[in-house]
Amino acid sequence: MKPFIAAVPLLAVAITNPALAEGDLSRENVVDVTIELGSSDDGMYMKPDVLEFETGKAYRLILVNVDEIKHEVALNEMGERVFTRKIEATDPDGNLIAEVKGHINEVEVGPGKTVDWYIVPVQTMEASEITCELPGHLEAGMRASATIK
Ligand SMILES: [Cu+2]
């Protein structure tokens, strides 16, 4: 039950403070975590392949696809334990293309593109896999271990 208790103050703040409700939750303290998606001679990868998060901290997952084909990040079990603030896609000049809000489990990233996924973990989790579920990619090695403390 403890993880749920930790989540309550976050939600309360989001509801009572209009500025935060618009997506500025913990903006000053966002921790950037870059996850590179690509292929190598050994197959396909997520780099780094071990990730650690803490409940109540705000993160920006910077999904960088360095490949010439589409990849994705599926949070799987972790998706049930994080609050997604928003997904943000921008053009090469940094102009906003799309901001997506709501509960999200998977994000596909086009070849050579980057997408920012803003999350706040709200519940602890033992090591669990995030994966690329595109056909053949998981088998080729596209997985990373994620833990929420
Ligand atoms: Cu992939």
Side-chain angles (χ1 to χ4, degrees):
M1 285 309 291
K2 194 177 175 197
F4 284 109
I5 293 168
V8 168
L10 275 176
L11 295 174
V13 167
I15 289 164
T16 56
N17 187 326
L20 295 182
E22 286 175 22
D24 283 339
L25 183 66
S26 303
R27 184 174 285 271
E28 301 301 314
N29 300 308
V30 174
V31 179
D32 284 344
V33 175
T34 300
I35 303 175
E36 185 180 305
L37 313 169
S39 301
S40 69
D41 293 342
D42 298 329
M44 298 177 178
Y45 65 86
M46 290 184 183
K47 198 165 72 181
D49 62 3
V50 177
L51 297 158
E52 198 175 290
F53 302 95
E54 282 179 45
T55 54
K57 277 194 177 177
Y59 294 90
R60 172 170 66 166
L61 304 181
I62 306 171
L63 311 181
V64 182
N65 183 354
V66 297
D67 214 338
E68 293 171 355
I69 58 171
K70 184 171 75 173
H71 286 297
E72 77 166 11
V73 172
L75 292 187
N76 303 317
E77 185 186 346
M78 185 178 163
E80 307 301 318
R81 295 163 191 264
V82 303
F83 165 70
T84 290
R85 287 172 55 206
K86 62 178 177 178
I87 306 278
E88 207 173 77
T90 57
D91 69 15
D93 295 327
N95 301 307
L96 185 69
I97 294 173
E99 211 172 85
V100 181
K101 296 176 180 173
H103 187 76
I104 298 190
N105 270 314
E106 300 180 15
V107 174
E108 296 188 356
V109 185
K113 303 299 182 189
T114 297
V115 173
D116 292 338
W117 190 349
Y118 290 80
I119 62 164
V120 179
V122 294
Q123 192 176 9
T124 57
M125 181 183 78
E126 299 289 315
S128 180
E129 279 194 343
I130 64 174
T131 54
C132 175
E133 296 291 333
L134 295 176
H137 290 207
L138 178 57
E139 294 77 2
M142 286 204 82
R143 57 163 60 92
S145 168
T147 304
I148 303 174
K149 302 259 180 197

